Amino acid sequence: MRLGMVIDLKKCVGCYACVVKCKQEHFLPTGMNWRRILISETGEYPNAQKHVYPVLCNHCADPVCVSVCPTGATKRLETGIVVVEEDKCVGCRYCVVACPYQARSYHREEYPYFPHQGPTAFEILREKLYPHQRKVVLKCNFCIERIEKALGQGLKPGENYEANTACVNICPTKAMVFGDLDDPDSEVSKYIREKRAQQLHPEYGTDPSVYYVIS
Amino acid sequence: MGEQLTMKGKGLSIQTRNYEFMVKFTPQREWIEKQGILMLLAMFFIELGAGTFLVSSFFQNRSGMLTGWLLCGLLGGGFHLLYLGHPGRFWRMLFSSGLKTSWISRGLAFVLLFLVGGFLNLFSPSETEIGKYLLFLTNIFAFLTVIYVGFVMAAVNGIPLWNTALLPILYLVLGIWSGLGVTLLNFLASGTKVTTLGTVEHLSRLFLFLFAFLVFVYLVCVRYQHTAGEASVKTIVIGKLAPLFWIGVVFMGILLPMASLLMETIPPYLLFLLIIFELIGDFALRYCVLKGALYPPLVPTNMD
């Protein structure tokens, strides 16, 4: 199994719902986003063009972050999800520097959302439900908790609400499809084939599992 | 993230703010800004120490070997541990799968083997047959210690300034050149005979020219390799880092030592100053290489 995603840029409206949902789902600290929206422009008026790219960890098949990790804290699971074991991370940040997609963040310190006004309900809940270690590297984990639970229940990734990542579920235009790239009959594989989706910067040689329908 | 990095040339202006992250050329920050400066210090002292040990061992200068060992172990290793988020977990670097693929793991193994070998050499008689073999082995690990930092950086394919086979060679030359400088300082301090001093000086001059040549070739190669490489080189040569590069690397590190070749005899105090300038040049170049590192944009831009 190799879990992956396709993002249809023709459907994406750049609403940031996936960014916010991801932040909420994983109780991310201030200043950290596992998903981002990159917006660029090419050409000049009147032929200018705007490009909106939602980006996240590509969960590469040949991830450079895994090979450079000196402690084996970053590893690729059987499902193709690349995760960081926080207990093993030494905080050298080699993976942050080495990732050509810059999809990793170092959790330096915890900054309160509203300094001197006490923690918000979100911050209190985080400490109970989803505490992140300080001074380790964090990254998108393809909502591994819900995916593993769904797999345990015999659900197929991408086919059920429970077996989808939070960002895919929240997308108002259904611009993203999640599923097993190794299964040629999965919706994600069909989408990639039919729409001729492409990987972002395949020249880095990491074989990303996130595809984009560009034109 | 709000810091600006401006670069003039070709009418191109590079600025990175939050919304420009990976949309424009994005600077590498983790290994140079804030706590990242410790990584620069670690790299500098580890290579300087191992280079000094290697050169001093060649000239059988035990005080130089001790200086190199201390520079590498105490300063280099100390700064590296201080940089880590969880220094108490550093042992995992040696006892995990990382050793097979990660240059940081390999580097730590080289450094530790060099330090252990160096300790045994320094504090045991080296005249015996076993002592000679041990010194030979230690020198191999010192050599690997000098060269590994270049490989750590060259393995990063997202940064064109680093992703070149020339970087390990440049860092090797830099490490040995600085090692020659520190060894020379040791000879000056201990009042060693003129013939040995002369040999070290001649070697130092040879490495000076090699260093100057490699810096030039490195920057030219990176400049034509990738647009981000071009932007990095411009940042170093005509951009934000230009004062440091021209004054620190070129003037103090290369031109002043070269100018001293015109003098028939160099008084010891001037030689001392020149070696300090050499070390400043070494440090300045390492700073420029870390600070000037840029990631190319992920999305289509007018910069392509």
Coordinates of all heavy atoms in Angstrom, one line a residue, chain B residues 15-98:
Chain B
Q15 N 12.9 38.9 -1.8 CA 12.5 39.2 -0.5 C 11.6 38.0 0.0 O 10.8 37.5 -0.8 CB 11.5 40.5 -0.5 CG 12.3 41.7 -1.0 CD 11.3 42.9 -1.0 OE1 10.2 42.8 -1.3 NE2 11.9 44.0 -0.7
T16 N 11.9 37.6 1.2 CA 11.0 36.5 1.7 C 10.3 36.9 2.9 O 10.9 37.3 3.9 CB 11.9 35.3 2.0 OG1 12.9 35.7 2.9 CG2 12.4 34.6 0.8
R17 N 9.0 36.9 2.8 CA 8.1 37.1 3.9 C 7.3 35.9 4.0 O 7.4 35.0 3.2 CB 7.3 38.4 3.7 CG 8.1 39.6 3.5 CD 7.2 40.9 3.4 NE 8.0 42.1 3.2 CZ 8.3 42.5 2.0 NH1 7.9 41.9 0.9 NH2 9.0 43.6 1.9
N18 N 6.4 35.9 5.0 CA 5.6 34.6 5.2 C 4.9 34.2 3.9 O 5.0 33.0 3.6 CB 4.5 34.9 6.3 CG 5.0 34.7 7.7 OD1 6.1 34.1 7.8 ND2 4.4 35.1 8.7
Y19 N 4.3 35.1 3.2 CA 3.5 34.7 2.0 C 4.4 34.4 0.8 O 4.0 34.0 -0.2 CB 2.5 35.8 1.7 CG 3.0 37.1 1.5 CD1 3.5 37.6 0.3 CD2 3.1 38.0 2.6 CE1 4.0 38.8 0.1 CE2 3.6 39.3 2.4 CZ 4.1 39.7 1.2 OH 4.6 41.0 1.0
E20 N 5.7 34.6 1.0 CA 6.6 34.4 -0.1 C 7.5 33.1 0.1 O 8.3 32.8 -0.7 CB 7.6 35.6 -0.3 CG 6.9 36.8 -0.8 CD 7.8 38.0 -0.7 OE1 8.7 38.0 0.1 OE2 7.5 39.0 -1.4
F21 N 7.2 32.4 1.2 CA 7.9 31.2 1.5 C 7.7 30.2 0.4 O 6.6 29.8 0.1 CB 7.4 30.6 2.9 CG 8.0 29.3 3.3 CD1 9.2 29.4 3.9 CD2 7.4 28.1 3.1 CE1 9.9 28.2 4.3 CE2 8.0 26.9 3.5 CZ 9.2 27.0 4.1
M22 N 8.8 29.8 -0.2 CA 8.9 28.8 -1.3 C 8.2 29.3 -2.6 O 8.0 28.5 -3.5 CB 8.4 27.4 -0.9 CG 9.2 26.8 0.2 SD 11.0 26.7 -0.2 CE 11.1 25.3 -1.2
V23 N 7.7 30.6 -2.6 CA 7.2 31.2 -3.8 C 8.3 32.0 -4.5 O 8.4 32.0 -5.7 CB 6.0 32.1 -3.4 CG1 5.6 32.9 -4.6 CG2 4.8 31.3 -2.9
K24 N 9.2 32.5 -3.6 CA 10.4 33.1 -4.2 C 11.6 32.3 -3.6 O 11.4 31.4 -2.9 CB 10.5 34.6 -3.7 CG 9.4 35.4 -4.3 CD 9.6 36.9 -4.1 CE 8.6 37.7 -4.8 NZ 8.8 39.1 -4.7
F25 N 12.8 32.7 -4.0 CA 14.0 32.0 -3.5 C 13.9 32.2 -1.9 O 13.8 33.3 -1.4 CB 15.3 32.7 -4.0 CG 15.4 32.5 -5.5 CD1 15.6 33.6 -6.3 CD2 15.5 31.2 -6.0 CE1 15.7 33.4 -7.7 CE2 15.7 31.0 -7.4 CZ 15.8 32.1 -8.2
T26 N 14.0 31.0 -1.3 CA 13.8 31.0 0.2 C 15.1 30.7 0.9 O 15.7 29.6 0.6 CB 12.7 30.0 0.6 OG1 11.5 30.4 -0.2 CG2 12.4 30.0 2.0
P27 N 15.6 31.5 1.8 CA 16.9 31.2 2.4 C 16.8 30.1 3.4 O 15.7 29.9 4.1 CB 17.2 32.5 3.2 CG 16.1 33.4 3.0 CD 15.0 32.8 2.2
Q28 N 17.8 29.3 3.5 CA 18.0 28.3 4.6 C 18.2 29.0 5.9 O 19.1 29.9 6.0 CB 19.2 27.4 4.2 CG 19.5 26.3 5.1 CD 20.3 26.7 6.3 OE1 20.0 26.3 7.4 NE2 21.4 27.4 6.1
R29 N 17.5 28.7 6.9 CA 17.6 29.4 8.2 C 18.1 28.5 9.3 O 18.7 29.0 10.2 CB 16.3 30.0 8.5 CG 15.9 31.2 7.6 CD 14.9 32.0 8.3 NE 14.8 33.3 7.7 CZ 13.9 33.6 6.7 NH1 13.0 32.7 6.4 NH2 13.9 34.8 6.2
E30 N 17.7 27.2 9.3 CA 17.9 26.4 10.5 C 19.3 26.3 10.9 O 19.6 26.2 12.1 CB 17.3 25.0 10.3 CG 15.8 25.0 10.3 CD 15.1 25.4 11.6 OE1 15.8 25.3 12.6 OE2 14.0 25.8 11.6
W31 N 20.2 26.3 10.0 CA 21.7 26.1 10.3 C 22.5 27.4 10.3 O 23.7 27.3 10.2 CB 22.3 25.1 9.3 CG 22.0 23.7 9.6 CD1 21.2 23.2 10.7 CD2 22.4 22.5 9.0 NE1 21.1 21.9 10.7 CE2 21.9 21.4 9.6 CE3 23.2 22.3 7.8 CZ2 22.1 20.1 9.2 CZ3 23.4 21.0 7.4 CH2 22.9 19.9 8.1
I32 N 21.8 28.5 10.4 CA 22.6 29.7 10.5 C 22.0 30.8 11.3 O 22.7 31.6 11.9 CB 22.9 30.3 9.0 CG1 24.0 31.4 9.0 CG2 21.6 30.8 8.4 CD1 25.3 30.9 9.5
E33 N 20.7 30.8 11.4 CA 20.0 31.9 12.2 C 19.7 31.5 13.6 O 19.5 30.3 13.9 CB 18.7 32.4 11.5 CG 19.1 33.1 10.2 CD 17.8 33.7 9.6 OE1 16.7 33.6 10.1 OE2 18.0 34.2 8.4
K34 N 19.7 32.5 14.5 CA 19.5 32.3 15.9 C 20.4 31.2 16.5 O 21.6 31.3 16.4 CB 18.0 32.0 16.2 CG 17.1 33.1 15.8 CD 15.6 32.8 16.0 CE 14.8 34.0 15.6 NZ 13.4 33.6 15.5
Q35 N 19.8 30.1 17.0 CA 20.6 29.0 17.6 C 21.5 28.3 16.5 O 22.5 27.7 16.8 CB 19.7 28.0 18.2 CG 20.3 27.1 19.2 CD 19.4 25.9 19.5 OE1 18.4 25.7 18.9 NE2 19.9 25.1 20.5
G36 N 21.1 28.5 15.2 CA 21.8 27.8 14.1 C 23.2 28.3 14.0 O 24.0 27.6 13.4
I37 N 23.5 29.4 14.6 CA 24.9 29.9 14.5 C 25.9 28.9 15.2 O 27.0 28.8 14.9 CB 25.0 31.3 15.1 CG1 26.3 32.0 14.6 CG2 25.1 31.3 16.6 CD1 26.1 32.7 13.2
L38 N 25.3 28.1 16.1 CA 26.1 27.1 16.8 C 26.5 26.0 15.9 O 27.6 25.4 16.0 CB 25.3 26.5 18.0 CG 24.9 27.4 19.1 CD1 23.9 26.7 20.1 CD2 26.2 27.8 19.9
M39 N 25.7 25.8 14.8 CA 26.0 24.8 13.8 C 27.3 25.2 13.0 O 28.1 24.4 12.7 CB 24.8 24.5 12.9 CG 24.9 23.3 12.1 SD 24.9 21.8 13.1 CE 25.0 20.6 11.8
L40 N 27.3 26.5 12.7 CA 28.4 27.1 12.0 C 29.7 26.9 12.8 O 30.7 26.5 12.3 CB 28.1 28.6 11.7 CG 29.3 29.4 11.2 CD1 29.8 29.0 9.8 CD2 29.0 30.9 11.2
L41 N 29.6 27.3 14.1 CA 30.7 27.2 15.0 C 31.2 25.7 15.1 O 32.4 25.4 15.1 CB 30.4 27.7 16.4 CG 30.2 29.3 16.5 CD1 29.6 29.7 17.8 CD2 31.5 30.0 16.3
A42 N 30.2 24.8 15.2 CA 30.6 23.4 15.3 C 31.3 22.9 14.1 O 32.4 22.3 14.2 CB 29.3 22.6 15.5
M43 N 30.8 23.3 12.9 CA 31.4 22.9 11.7 C 32.8 23.4 11.6 O 33.8 22.8 11.2 CB 30.6 23.3 10.5 CG 29.3 22.6 10.2 SD 28.4 23.4 8.9 CE 27.1 22.2 8.7
F44 N 33.0 24.7 11.9 CA 34.3 25.4 11.8 C 35.3 24.7 12.7 O 36.4 24.4 12.3 CB 34.1 26.9 12.2 CG 35.4 27.7 12.3 CD1 36.0 28.0 11.1 CD2 35.9 28.1 13.5 CE1 37.2 28.7 11.1 CE2 37.0 28.8 13.5 CZ 37.7 29.1 12.4
F45 N 34.9 24.5 14.0 CA 35.9 24.0 14.9 C 36.2 22.5 14.7 O 37.3 22.1 15.0 CB 35.5 24.3 16.4 CG 35.7 25.7 16.8 CD1 34.6 26.6 17.0 CD2 37.0 26.2 16.9 CE1 34.8 27.9 17.4 CE2 37.2 27.6 17.2 CZ 36.1 28.4 17.5
I46 N 35.2 21.8 14.3 CA 35.5 20.3 14.1 C 36.5 20.2 12.9 O 37.5 19.4 13.1 CB 34.1 19.6 13.7 CG1 33.3 19.4 15.0 CG2 34.4 18.3 13.0 CD1 31.9 18.8 14.8
E47 N 36.3 20.9 11.8 CA 37.2 20.8 10.7 C 38.6 21.4 11.0 O 39.6 20.9 10.6 CB 36.6 21.5 9.5 CG 35.4 20.7 8.9 CD 35.3 20.9 7.4 OE1 36.0 21.7 6.8 OE2 34.4 20.2 6.9
L48 N 38.5 22.5 11.7 CA 39.8 23.2 12.1 C 40.6 22.3 13.0 O 41.8 22.1 12.8 CB 39.5 24.5 12.8 CG 40.7 25.3 13.3 CD1 41.6 25.8 12.1 CD2 40.2 26.6 14.1
G49 N 40.0 21.7 14.0 CA 40.6 20.8 14.9 C 41.2 19.6 14.2 O 42.4 19.2 14.4
A50 N 40.4 18.9 13.4 CA 40.8 17.7 12.7 C 42.0 18.0 11.7 O 42.9 17.3 11.6 CB 39.7 17.0 12.0
G51 N 41.8 19.2 11.0 CA 42.9 19.6 10.1 C 44.2 19.9 10.8 O 45.3 19.5 10.4
T52 N 44.1 20.5 12.0 CA 45.3 20.8 12.8 C 46.0 19.6 13.2 O 47.2 19.4 13.2 CB 44.9 21.7 14.0 OG1 44.2 22.9 13.5 CG2 46.1 22.1 14.8
F53 N 45.2 18.6 13.7 CA 45.7 17.3 14.2 C 46.4 16.6 13.0 O 47.6 16.2 13.2 CB 44.6 16.5 14.7 CG 45.1 15.2 15.3 CD1 45.3 15.1 16.7 CD2 45.3 14.0 14.6 CE1 45.7 13.9 17.3 CE2 45.8 12.9 15.1 CZ 46.0 12.8 16.5
L54 N 45.8 16.6 11.9 CA 46.4 15.9 10.7 C 47.7 16.5 10.3 O 48.7 15.8 10.1 CB 45.4 16.0 9.5 CG 45.4 15.0 8.4 CD1 45.2 13.6 8.9 CD2 44.3 15.4 7.4
V55 N 47.8 17.9 10.2 CA 49.0 18.5 9.8 C 50.1 18.4 10.9 O 51.2 18.1 10.6 CB 48.7 20.0 9.5 CG1 50.0 20.8 9.2 CG2 47.7 20.1 8.3
S56 N 49.7 18.6 12.1 CA 50.6 18.5 13.2 C 51.2 17.1 13.3 O 52.4 16.9 13.7 CB 50.0 18.9 14.6 OG 49.5 20.2 14.5
S57 N 50.4 16.1 13.1 CA 50.8 14.8 13.1 C 51.9 14.5 12.0 O 52.9 13.8 12.2 CB 49.6 13.8 13.0 OG 50.0 12.6 12.4
F58 N 51.6 15.1 10.9 CA 52.6 15.0 9.7 C 54.0 15.6 10.1 O 55.0 15.0 9.8 CB 52.0 15.7 8.5 CG 52.8 15.6 7.3 CD1 52.9 14.4 6.6 CD2 53.6 16.7 6.8 CE1 53.7 14.3 5.4 CE2 54.4 16.6 5.7 CZ 54.4 15.4 5.0
F59 N 53.9 16.7 10.9 CA 55.2 17.3 11.3 C 55.6 16.9 12.7 O 56.5 17.5 13.3 CB 55.0 18.9 11.2 CG 54.9 19.4 9.8 CD1 53.7 19.8 9.3 CD2 56.1 19.5 9.1 CE1 53.7 20.2 8.0 CE2 56.0 19.9 7.7 CZ 54.8 20.3 7.2
Q60 N 55.0 15.9 13.2 CA 55.3 15.3 14.5 C 55.3 16.4 15.6 O 56.3 16.4 16.4 CB 56.6 14.6 14.4 CG 56.5 13.4 13.5 CD 57.9 12.7 13.2 OE1 58.9 13.4 13.4 NE2 57.8 11.6 12.7
N61 N 54.3 17.2 15.6 CA 54.2 18.3 16.6 C 53.1 17.9 17.6 O 51.9 18.1 17.3 CB 53.9 19.6 15.9 CG 53.8 20.8 16.8 OD1 52.7 21.1 17.2 ND2 54.9 21.3 17.3
R62 N 53.5 17.4 18.7 CA 52.5 16.9 19.7 C 51.6 18.0 20.3 O 50.4 17.8 20.5 CB 53.2 16.1 20.8 CG 53.6 14.7 20.3 CD 54.3 13.9 21.4 NE 53.4 13.2 22.2 CZ 52.8 12.1 21.9 NH1 53.1 11.5 20.8 NH2 52.0 11.5 22.8
S63 N 52.2 19.2 20.5 CA 51.4 20.3 21.0 C 50.3 20.7 20.0 O 49.2 21.0 20.4 CB 52.3 21.5 21.5 OG 52.8 22.1 20.3
G64 N 50.7 20.7 18.7 CA 49.7 21.0 17.7 C 48.6 19.9 17.6 O 47.4 20.2 17.5
M65 N 49.0 18.7 17.8 CA 48.0 17.6 17.8 C 47.1 17.8 19.0 O 45.9 17.6 18.8 CB 48.8 16.2 17.9 CG 49.4 15.8 16.6 SD 50.7 14.5 16.9 CE 49.7 13.1 17.3
L66 N 47.6 18.1 20.1 CA 46.8 18.4 21.3 C 45.8 19.5 21.0 O 44.6 19.4 21.4 CB 47.6 18.6 22.5 CG 46.9 18.9 23.8 CD1 46.1 17.6 24.2 CD2 47.8 19.3 25.0
T67 N 46.3 20.6 20.4 CA 45.5 21.8 20.1 C 44.3 21.3 19.2 O 43.2 21.7 19.4 CB 46.3 22.9 19.4 OG1 47.5 23.1 20.2 CG2 45.5 24.2 19.3
G68 N 44.7 20.6 18.2 CA 43.7 20.1 17.2 C 42.6 19.3 17.9 O 41.4 19.4 17.7
W69 N 43.1 18.4 18.7 CA 42.2 17.4 19.4 C 41.2 18.2 20.3 O 40.0 18.0 20.4 CB 43.1 16.5 20.3 CG 42.3 15.4 20.9 CD1 42.0 14.2 20.3 CD2 41.7 15.3 22.2 NE1 41.3 13.4 21.1 CE2 41.1 14.0 22.3 CE3 41.7 16.2 23.3 CZ2 40.5 13.6 23.5 CZ3 41.1 15.8 24.4 CH2 40.5 14.5 24.5
L70 N 41.8 19.2 21.0 CA 40.9 20.0 21.9 C 39.9 20.9 21.1 O 38.8 21.0 21.5 CB 41.8 21.0 22.8 CG 42.6 20.2 23.9 CD1 43.6 21.2 24.6 CD2 41.7 19.6 24.9
L71 N 40.4 21.5 20.0 CA 39.5 22.3 19.2 C 38.4 21.5 18.7 O 37.2 21.9 18.7 CB 40.3 22.9 18.0 CG 41.2 24.1 18.2 CD1 42.0 24.4 17.0 CD2 40.4 25.3 18.6
C72 N 38.7 20.3 18.2 CA 37.6 19.4 17.6 C 36.7 18.9 18.7 O 35.5 19.0 18.6 CB 38.3 18.3 16.9 SG 37.1 17.2 16.1
G73 N 37.3 18.3 19.8 CA 36.5 17.7 20.8 C 35.7 18.6 21.7 O 34.5 18.5 21.8
L74 N 36.4 19.6 22.2 CA 35.8 20.5 23.2 C 34.9 21.6 22.5 O 33.7 21.7 22.8 CB 36.8 21.2 24.0 CG 37.5 20.4 25.1 CD1 38.4 21.3 26.0 CD2 36.5 19.7 26.0
L75 N 35.5 22.3 21.5 CA 34.7 23.4 20.9 C 33.8 22.8 19.9 O 32.6 23.1 19.9 CB 35.7 24.4 20.3 CG 36.5 25.3 21.3 CD1 37.4 26.2 20.7 CD2 35.5 26.1 22.2
G76 N 34.3 22.1 18.9 CA 33.5 21.5 17.8 C 32.4 20.7 18.4 O 31.2 20.9 18.1
G77 N 32.7 19.7 19.2 CA 31.7 18.7 19.7 C 30.8 19.5 20.7 O 29.6 19.2 20.7
G78 N 31.3 20.4 21.5 CA 30.5 21.1 22.4 C 29.5 22.0 21.7 O 28.3 21.9 22.1
F79 N 29.9 22.7 20.7 CA 28.9 23.5 20.0 C 27.8 22.7 19.3 O 26.7 23.0 19.2 CB 29.6 24.4 19.0 CG 30.3 25.6 19.6 CD1 31.6 25.9 19.3 CD2 29.6 26.5 20.4 CE1 32.2 27.0 19.9 CE2 30.2 27.6 20.9 CZ 31.5 27.9 20.7
H80 N 28.3 21.5 18.8 CA 27.3 20.6 18.1 C 26.3 20.1 19.1 O 25.1 20.1 18.8 CB 28.1 19.5 17.5 CG 27.4 18.9 16.2 ND1 26.1 18.6 16.2 CD2 27.8 18.7 15.0 CE1 25.8 18.2 15.0 NE2 26.8 18.3 14.2
L81 N 26.7 19.7 20.3 CA 25.8 19.2 21.3 C 24.9 20.3 21.7 O 23.7 20.1 21.9 CB 26.6 18.6 22.5 CG 27.1 17.2 22.3 CD1 27.9 16.8 23.6 CD2 26.0 16.2 22.0
L82 N 25.4 21.5 21.9 CA 24.6 22.7 22.3 C 23.5 23.0 21.3 O 22.4 23.4 21.6 CB 25.4 23.9 22.5 CG 26.1 24.1 23.8 CD1 27.0 25.3 23.8 CD2 25.1 24.2 25.0
Y83 N 23.8 22.7 20.0 CA 22.9 23.0 19.0 C 21.7 22.1 19.0 O 20.5 22.5 18.6 CB 23.6 23.0 17.6 CG 22.6 23.1 16.4 CD1 22.0 24.3 16.1 CD2 22.2 22.0 15.7 CE1 21.1 24.4 15.1 CE2 21.3 22.1 14.7 CZ 20.8 23.3 14.3 OH 19.9 23.4 13.3
L84 N 21.9 20.8 19.3 CA 20.8 19.8 19.3 C 19.7 20.2 20.2 O 19.9 20.7 21.3 CB 21.4 18.4 19.6 CG 22.5 17.8 18.8 CD1 23.0 16.5 19.3 CD2 22.0 17.6 17.3
G85 N 18.5 19.8 19.7 CA 17.3 20.1 20.6 C 17.3 19.2 21.8 O 16.9 19.6 22.9
H86 N 17.7 17.9 21.6 CA 17.8 17.0 22.7 C 19.2 16.3 22.7 O 19.4 15.2 22.2 CB 16.7 15.9 22.5 CG 15.3 16.4 22.7 ND1 14.7 16.5 24.0 CD2 14.4 16.8 21.8 CE1 13.5 17.0 23.8 NE2 13.3 17.2 22.5
P87 N 20.2 17.0 23.3 CA 21.6 16.5 23.2 C 21.7 15.1 23.9 O 22.5 14.3 23.6 CB 22.4 17.5 24.0 CG 21.5 18.6 24.3 CD 20.1 18.3 23.9
G88 N 20.8 14.9 24.9 CA 20.9 13.6 25.6 C 20.6 12.4 24.7 O 20.9 11.3 25.1
R89 N 20.0 12.6 23.6 CA 19.7 11.5 22.7 C 20.7 11.3 21.6 O 20.5 10.6 20.6 CB 18.3 11.8 22.0 CG 17.1 11.9 22.9 CD 15.9 12.2 22.1 NE 14.8 12.5 23.0 CZ 13.6 13.0 22.7 NH1 13.4 13.3 21.4 NH2 12.6 13.2 23.5
F90 N 21.9 12.0 21.7 CA 22.9 12.0 20.7 C 23.4 10.5 20.4 O 23.8 10.2 19.3 CB 24.0 12.9 21.0 CG 25.2 12.3 21.7 CD1 26.3 11.9 21.0 CD2 25.2 12.1 23.1 CE1 27.4 11.3 21.6 CE2 26.2 11.5 23.7 CZ 27.3 11.1 23.0
W91 N 23.3 9.7 21.4 CA 23.8 8.3 21.2 C 23.0 7.6 20.2 O 23.5 6.6 19.6 CB 23.8 7.6 22.6 CG 22.4 7.5 23.2 CD1 21.9 8.4 24.0 CD2 21.4 6.5 23.0 NE1 20.6 8.1 24.4 CE2 20.3 6.9 23.7 CE3 21.3 5.4 22.2 CZ2 19.1 6.2 23.7 CZ3 20.2 4.6 22.2 CH2 19.1 5.0 23.0
R92 N 21.8 8.0 20.0 CA 20.9 7.4 18.9 C 21.6 7.5 17.5 O 21.3 6.7 16.7 CB 19.5 8.0 18.9 CG 18.7 7.6 20.1 CD 17.3 8.1 19.9 NE 16.4 7.8 21.0 CZ 15.8 6.6 21.2 NH1 16.0 5.6 20.3 NH2 15.1 6.4 22.3
M93 N 22.4 8.5 17.4 CA 23.0 8.7 16.0 C 23.9 7.6 15.7 O 24.2 7.4 14.5 CB 23.8 10.1 16.0 CG 22.9 11.3 16.2 SD 24.0 12.7 15.9 CE 22.9 14.0 16.3
L94 N 24.5 7.0 16.7 CA 25.5 5.9 16.5 C 24.8 4.5 16.4 O 25.3 3.6 15.8 CB 26.5 5.9 17.6 CG 27.4 7.1 17.6 CD1 28.3 7.1 18.9 CD2 28.3 7.1 16.4
F95 N 23.7 4.4 17.1 CA 23.1 3.0 17.2 C 21.7 3.0 16.6 O 20.7 2.6 17.2 CB 22.9 2.6 18.7 CG 24.3 2.6 19.4 CD1 24.6 3.7 20.3 CD2 25.2 1.6 19.2 CE1 25.8 3.7 20.9 CE2 26.4 1.6 19.9 CZ 26.7 2.7 20.7
S96 N 21.6 3.5 15.3 CA 20.4 3.4 14.6 C 20.7 3.2 13.1 O 21.8 3.1 12.7 CB 19.6 4.7 14.8 OG 20.3 5.7 14.0
S97 N 19.6 3.1 12.4 CA 19.7 2.9 10.9 C 20.4 4.1 10.3 O 20.9 4.0 9.1 CB 18.4 2.6 10.3 OG 17.5 3.7 10.6
G98 N 20.4 5.2 11.0 CA 21.0 6.4 10.4 C 22.4 6.3 9.9 O 22.8 6.9 9.0

